[in-house]
Amino acid sequence: MRSSGDGTAVDGGYPLHGGASDHSPNRPMAVQGSGDATSGHEQIGYRGPTACAAAGITYRQLDYWARTGLVEPSVRAAGGSGTQRLYSFRDVVVLKIVKRFLDTGVSLQNIRTTVQHLRERGFQDLERMTLMSDGATVYECTSSSEVHDLLQGGQGVFGIAVGVVWRDVEAALSQLHGERVDTGETLIGHNPADELARRRNKAV
């Protein structure tokens, strides 16, 4: 996989620098998985501490990224005293991806472009999407052959399988508290440790 001088990719890859929409692959992307699962995620929001726990970041990072517009809560922004930010499931996936890219030294400018790109794509085709970076550019790959081409060309030195991140976040949030977007009802996560404690208490 090579990057041409005008920012477009050669041999099937798609660098995400510049305007994300300018370099998006011109092909349809099919949704993997059921629409019901996706719509279910959209009905639940997560407060800052929960989003931090699932994404593996500190609250200071979360607050800074929200204030600088890197990753803003799409459900509810902080609107003064007494209100808390509410993040969607997709927001938490983005937070985790941002954390991984920062840990590997990807520039903030490239991360911003990647976040914009992911939001524009609507997180479709997550099972096949892999984000690769050589430290200077972030590439989107939607097939194993594209990943292979990047690695063969020496460009892709770090990769994130977005679908894997999605499932990791899903598993983490299932054990944490959420909030129904429409009613504000608190949803208690299923924590296996809590369940074990309840069973032990019953046995006593």
Side-chain angles (χ1 to χ4, degrees), residues 12 105 130 134 137 165 195:
T130 299
D134 57 4
T137 303
V165 175
E195 179 65 26

Side-chain angles (χ1 to χ4, degrees), residues 2-10 15 17 23:
R2 300 187 304 279
S3 173
S4 63
D6 62 359
T8 58
V10 181
H17 51 252
H23 305 300

Side-chain angles (χ1 to χ4, degrees), residues 16-146:
L16 306 183
H17 51 252
S21 59
D22 296 338
H23 305 300
S24 297
N26 184 22
R27 59 187 175 198
M29 300 187 75
V31 177
Q32 300 287 332
S34 69
D36 291 339
T38 302
S39 62
H41 285 314
E42 299 302 321
Q43 301 303 316
I44 304 173
Y46 303 93
R47 296 191 176 189
T50 300
C52 289
I57 62 175
T58 67
Y59 193 84
R60 177 176 293 183
Q61 287 175 309
L62 182 82
D63 182 61
Y64 179 72
W65 295 349
R67 288 188 289 105
T68 58
L70 179 60
V71 184
E72 298 176 285
S74 61
V75 178
R76 185 176 67 218
S81 178
T83 63
Q84 294 191 34
R85 299 185 184 106
L86 205 60
Y87 290 82
S88 71
F89 174 83
R90 294 179 181 185
D91 294 337
V92 182
V93 173
V94 173
L95 289 168
K96 193 173 184 71
I97 290 173
V98 169
K99 170 66 160 55
R100 290 192 177 183
F101 273 137
L102 283 174
D103 286 347
T104 57
V106 176
S107 72
L108 191 59
Q109 179 180 355
N110 277 329
I111 291 174
R112 285 186 181 278
T113 301
T114 301
V115 169
Q116 178 188 355
H117 179 79
L118 289 173
R119 291 196 181 283
E120 289 177 353
R121 297 302 291 273
F123 284 89
Q124 296 179 344
D125 206 17
L126 292 178
E127 291 298 326
R128 295 194 303 135
M129 183 187 293
T130 299
L131 299 174
M132 303 288 292
S133 178
D134 57 4
T137 303
V138 177
Y139 298 82
E140 176 197 338
C141 299
T142 55
S143 70
S144 57
S145 63
E146 289 177 359

